[in-house]
Amino acid sequence: MARIAVIGAGMGAMAAAARLAVAGHRVTVYERAETYGGSVRRLVRDGFGFDTGPGLLHLPAVYRDLFVKTGKEPLERCVELTQVDPASRHVFADGTSLSLPNASRAGVVSALDEALGRGAGERWAAFLNRARDAWDRSRRPLLEEPLPADVTPFSRDPYPALRTGLLRRGATTLAAVGRRELGDERLAALLEGYALAYGLDPAAAPPSAAVLPYMEQTFGTWYVRGGLRALADAVYERCVARRVEFAFGTGVTGVVERDGRAAGVELADGRVVDADHVVAGAPVPALYRDHVVAWERQDDWPRFQTGVASGRMTVCLALRGAREAGAAHRTVVHSADPAGERASLAGGGPLCARPTVVVLRPDDAELRPDGGHEAVTVTATVPAGDAGAGDPWGDAAAVEAFADRMVEAAAAAVPGLRERLLWREVRTPVHTGEETGSRRVPGPALAGGGGAWLPAANLSPLPGLYFAGGWSHPGGGLAHAGMSGALVAGLIVEGADFRGSR
């Protein structure tokens, strides 16, 4: 039985902790905050409840596998999962509205043809076929296997280039794929919306980000009754049931190194805790910034998605009046100023005058005081910013003005929004940084882009130290974080011979 210290109680770290405890190890999780879940938080006020992090789940099989492997109760006995149908409603800048069914390729083609004109569905289907090729080429190495020491093969993009005459011409970004291959500004906006949902700038993300709409439209979109925080509750309770110990309000200030390997952790109160293995579930950039983990030679530092610099802003809306029958759970209201949005995300302009917003309206009695009210969240992908001069989140008036613009956009998805509004709470990337250690939202691992979209490997350069969570392989998103926990547990239990999930 090994002693294992886990830094942070995010979803990936807890997934690793539960698996390691079941394997017979003694696991203690040290979390500087007073709760678990990382970015999967809940805001509760006046009987209203809001997810302030992710609000929907993709690839629930990841958590089904976690619960099967760590106990007798399957996931569905611990949380109530429902498929969201329609998967999403879209409102485009020209006023066109479109609803996409959940996990139905034929249904998506039909809906696109009906809303955008004949041929739109065929163009989208052809794009998804190319995205499927990229998925098939990258799924196992980028989701199910530890990142190898030599990541050179991942610098090449797996998305197949279109043939033009006798030559194949490849786009260099996801936004370029949309402009070149989809033939309709609304289809291009639809594609970019999937990237924005993961905190990615479509004008910078590589074409391989095409796997994101493919993944969602193939495997479906799910909601957890009570909000995604209920999933974090269930994972935490599974850890406790497997005798994982948690020390909340206990920050880790350093990793102890002895004889060339990790041998424990230093706590903020000065104590040193010995361990045979250390799992770092905190954001990898923060571990270096705060000198928790450091090496003398900078060349030894692992990568941590240098291409990702975006954050998330959320506006929680408490509304009077019941949610109307047939309302879509998720509506994406696309930007009328995509160029301005791209410039803002790239750091080359002010906050966008008209951002793309995602409006979530769960029909969930647990998140409202009664049937005569509704809890709505509105989110936008925004520049993360940095503390100091030029920080877009340092100006309170500018933040409130941007929130006003987000709510104005959300009115296209919520009838009578302005008249129904009781109060709102605004959460910026600053809140994300306070809760998780980083303002940025980590993206999923993506091939291409010269390797800039690869997260830190699960195996660190220091033997005995492992990285789990959204900033480590295979990257951000609830499903990806859960996969990172499985990979780390496999590396510790099976050692160097571990070749990934089977």
Side-chain angles (χ1 to χ4, degrees), residues 255-264 275-278 294-296 300 460-466:
V255 173
V256 176
E257 180 181 344
R258 295 194 193 104
D259 300 324
R261 64 172 289 115
D276 300 297
H277 303 278
V278 176
W295 284 275
E296 293 181 0
D300 285 339
S460 86
L462 180 66
L465 174 64
Y466 306 82

Side-chain angles (χ1 to χ4, degrees), residues 157-219:
D157 202 297
Y159 183 78
L162 278 180
R163 183 176 293 281
T164 304
L166 298 177
L167 302 175
R168 285 190 177 273
R169 297 182 58 200
T172 57
T173 67
L174 186 71
V177 168
R179 292 192 300 270
R180 180 178 296 181
E181 300 180 16
L182 294 178
D184 187 302
E185 290 184 359
R186 295 163 298 182
L187 284 179
L190 175 64
L191 171 60
E192 293 189 13
Y194 286 97
L196 289 168
Y198 279 86
L200 302 176
D201 176 2
S208 64
V211 300
L212 301 176
Y214 172 81
M215 181 178 70
E216 180 175 326
Q217 293 192 7
T218 301
F219 302 108

Side-chain angles (χ1 to χ4, degrees), residues 320-347:
R320 65 170 63 88
R323 178 182 187 269
E324 74 274 15
H329 186 120
R330 172 176 56 169
T331 300
V332 182
V333 184
H334 293 273
S335 174
D337 181 22
E341 186 166 49
R342 292 172 187 146
S344 175
L345 292 176

Side-chain angles (χ1 to χ4, degrees), residues 282-307:
V284 177
L287 293 173
Y288 289 109
R289 180 196 65 214
D290 298 338
H291 306 291
V292 175
V293 176
W295 284 275
E296 293 181 0
R297 293 188 303 111
Q298 185 169 340
D299 291 344
D300 285 339
W301 291 13
R303 65 185 70 248
F304 41 82
Q305 283 195 328
T306 55

Side-chain angles (χ1 to χ4, degrees), residues 56-143:
L56 293 170
L57 177 64
H58 306 294
L59 294 178
V62 173
Y63 288 92
R64 290 191 180 112
D65 181 70
L66 170 65
F67 277 71
V68 167
K69 298 289 177 56
T70 59
K72 297 179 181 179
E73 281 189 304
L75 177 63
E76 273 80 359
R77 288 188 186 174
C78 300
V79 298
E80 182 182 342
L81 279 175
T82 57
Q83 278 194 301
V84 176
D85 203 5
S88 57
R89 177 173 173 255
H90 296 263
V91 179
F92 298 102
D94 66 355
T96 304
S97 178
L98 162 71
S99 291
L100 297 178
N102 199 342
S104 170
R105 287 281 296 273
V108 167
V109 169
S110 177
L112 288 169
D113 278 343
E114 182 176 348
L116 306 185
R118 191 170 184 83
E122 182 179 354
R123 290 194 298 276
W124 183 260
F127 157 74
L128 277 191
N129 285 337
R130 294 187 289 277
R132 180 187 60 198
D133 289 344
W135 169 264
D136 290 341
R137 295 175 188 176
S138 61
R139 175 186 60 84
R140 182 154 184 82
L142 279 184
L143 294 181

Side-chain angles (χ1 to χ4, degrees), residues 280-447:
V284 177
L287 293 173
Y288 289 109
R289 180 196 65 214
D290 298 338
H291 306 291
V292 175
V293 176
W295 284 275
E296 293 181 0
R297 293 188 303 111
Q298 185 169 340
D299 291 344
D300 285 339
W301 291 13
R303 65 185 70 248
F304 41 82
Q305 283 195 328
T306 55
V308 178
S310 300
R312 179 180 290 116
M313 180 156 165
T314 301
V315 183
C316 303
L317 304 176
L319 305 183
R320 65 170 63 88
R323 178 182 187 269
E324 74 274 15
H329 186 120
R330 172 176 56 169
T331 300
V332 182
V333 184
H334 293 273
S335 174
D337 181 22
E341 186 166 49
R342 292 172 187 146
S344 175
L345 292 176
L351 292 174
C352 181
R354 173 61 173 78
T356 295
V357 299
V358 178
V359 183
L360 295 183
R361 305 179 64 193
D363 185 11
D364 190 340
E366 296 184 29
L367 301 183
R368 57 188 181 236
D370 53 53
H373 294 84
E374 183 182 7
V376 174
T377 59
V378 185
T379 62
T381 294
V382 294
D386 294 300
D391 182 5
W393 311 112
D395 183 337
V399 169
E400 288 301 317
F402 188 73
D404 289 342
R405 299 198 291 274
M406 289 177 61
V407 174
E408 181 181 356
V414 185
L417 178 90
R418 298 176 186 84
E419 296 76 18
R420 297 173 59 196
L421 182 62
L422 293 170
W423 51 262
R424 78 184 189 192
E425 287 208 16
V426 177
R427 296 176 58 83
T428 72
V430 175
H431 295 91
T432 305
E434 293 170 349
E435 294 176 350
T436 70
S438 176
R439 291 186 179 193
R440 294 189 287 162
V441 175
L446 296 172

